[in-house]
Amino acid sequence: MRKHILVSILFFTSVVSIFGQEVLDKSLLWEITGNGLHKPSYIVGTIHIMCKDDFVLTPKVQRIIDRVDNLTLEVNFTDPKEIVEIQKSMNNQVSLTRDLDEANRKELVELLINEYGLSNSEVDSISSLGLMNLMTNKELQCEVVSYDVELIMLGMKKGKNFGGLEHGKEQLELFNKAFSVKEIVRQLKLKDESTDNLTSIIEAFKNEDMNKLYELGTDPQFMPMEVKSIMLDNRNKMWVEKMGRIMLIESTLFAVGSAHLGGEVGVIELLRKKGYDVTPVYE
């Protein structure tokens, strides 16, 4: 999903409701306590890919990595089995153009060649996920880094345990289910709008503005309601169940895309409904 771009956020310590939408404090990092936990756990919102010049791993996140026993991401990329399964799934994906009729295929091929500089052979073999990654890289136009990878590298240096909330193969399957060929082609045509959206997301991330990140990350223009249900809401519910089991065993820092944290079906609200105290960490 192009909105690889996601966080948690910081500001006040109270939660209010405006137009029925929960407004959360500005912070990228949140503490989870109560409900039988012996030690605090934490959740940090991330952007999966961003420009190197925009990336900062804040001192407060680094301190929490020192404090916890476990670092759990959406997918445990330290597990070689995960990498193998992801590679297999990627290799098995069908070319995007093979699912289109001749008129739509011709339109897509011309668009990819003219806008993204792909050759005919590259167009013929590109997958839906490959195309979305290509779109993001073109929009960023910079040397990119992965927040997740940076967290993993620091966690490995500090000898932390690692886990995942789901498997990479499951992510790919959900992506293919959520984003039809027609939906991807529709978004491909929104080049200027998409670039503006991504720029705003990066700015909101740097400002730790969770509410703005949720608003941008769930913009119906890029994430229709049916896609949001598959890519955010349903996964959030499954993750919260698994988080509860993990936190009882080890103090954990969970790192997930920022759009997963806000909203009525966001991870923070779902944890609170389970009886946990979830509070922003400012320093």
Side-chain angles (χ1 to χ4, degrees):
M1 174 170 82
R2 189 164 23 146
K3 305 276 167 332
H4 312 68
I5 307 176
L6 312 161
V7 292
S8 356
I9 304 192
L10 127 95
F11 193 48
F12 294 99
T13 306
S14 60
V15 176
V16 297
S17 178
I18 297 179
F19 304 122
Q21 174 61 54
E22 182 187 32
V23 176
L24 294 168
D25 298 352
K26 286 186 176 180
S27 181
L28 291 172
L29 183 66
W30 293 69
E31 183 182 63
I32 308 166
T33 57
N35 202 22
L37 297 183
H38 300 294
K39 292 182 179 180
S41 282
Y42 302 84
I43 185 164
V44 62
T46 72
I47 286 188
H48 298 312
I49 185 171
M50 63 193 303
C51 290
K52 185 176 181 179
D53 290 344
D54 290 323
F55 173 78
V56 176
L57 193 59
T58 59
K60 64 182 179 181
V61 173
Q62 296 184 49
R63 284 195 294 271
I64 294 305
I65 293 176
D66 284 329
R67 194 175 302 171
V68 299
D69 304 309
N70 179 287
L71 180 57
T72 292
L73 294 89
E74 293 182 16
V75 175
N76 180 9
F77 291 110
T78 68
D79 184 350
K81 293 180 182 177
E82 287 286 359
I83 305 302
V84 171
E85 285 301 314
I86 291 171
Q87 288 174 337
K88 286 181 180 178
S89 298
M90 289 288 288
N91 292 335
N92 290 335
Q93 289 195 42
V94 176
S95 169
L96 198 67
T97 60
R98 294 173 197 169
D99 293 327
L100 298 173
D101 59 37
E102 186 56 33
N104 287 324
R105 183 185 183 279
K106 182 179 179 181
E107 179 185 29
L108 176 60
V109 169
E110 290 178 353
L111 197 59
L112 291 176
I113 291 175
N114 294 334
E115 294 291 343
Y116 293 91
L118 297 184
S119 66
N120 277 299
S121 60
E122 288 172 324
V123 169
D124 200 42
S125 62
I126 196 167
S127 67
S128 57
L129 184 60
L131 176 56
M132 295 300 264
N133 286 334
L134 180 70
M135 291 164 64
T136 299
N137 287 330
K138 184 174 177 63
E139 288 164 8
L140 288 171
Q141 294 185 331
C142 60
E143 181 182 354
V144 299
V145 296
S146 167
Y147 198 112
D148 304 68
V149 171
E150 297 299 322
L151 282 176
I152 287 171
M153 291 176 64
L154 183 57
M156 291 179 74
K157 286 181 182 179
K158 296 180 179 297
K160 301 300 176 179
N161 300 324
F162 289 90
L165 292 170
E166 62 191 10
H167 296 293
K169 182 179 179 180
E170 294 172 341
Q171 276 197 351
L172 292 174
E173 290 172 350
L174 286 171
F175 180 91
N176 290 331
K177 179 181 178 182
F179 288 92
S180 67
V181 178
K182 288 184 177 180
E183 175 60 24
I184 292 173
V185 173
R186 183 188 70 80
Q187 293 201 24
L188 188 64
K189 296 176 182 178
L190 299 172
K191 189 165 74 76
D192 292 339
E193 295 90 337
S194 178
T195 299
D196 290 343
N197 179 265
L198 184 54
T199 300
S200 297
I201 286 174
I202 296 294
E203 188 63 27
F205 181 81
K206 291 162 71 174
N207 292 332
E208 299 197 63
D209 190 341
M210 172 124 83
N211 300 295
K212 189 65 176 177
L213 282 161
Y214 179 75
E215 175 190 330
L216 293 166
T218 58
D219 184 340
Q221 189 170 208
F222 307 106
M223 185 175 286
M225 285 301 298
E226 61 273 19
V227 175
K228 177 179 178 291
S229 177
I230 295 171
M231 296 304 299
L232 293 182
D233 300 347
N234 294 344
R235 294 167 74 201
N236 291 345
K237 293 172 185 176
M238 290 187 291
W239 289 356
V240 165
E241 295 298 325
K242 189 167 186 178
M243 289 170 68
R245 296 192 293 271
I246 294 170
M247 292 186 291
L248 283 174
I249 300 171
E250 291 182 299
S251 176
T252 300
L253 172 62
F254 299 96
V256 301
S258 62
H260 289 279
L261 297 185
E264 295 179 2
V265 197
V267 171
I268 289 176
E269 181 61 19
L270 291 175
L271 285 168
R272 286 172 172 168
K273 287 179 178 178
K274 289 279 187 183
Y276 297 99
D277 296 317
V278 188
T279 55
V281 177
Y282 298 126
E283 300 293 341

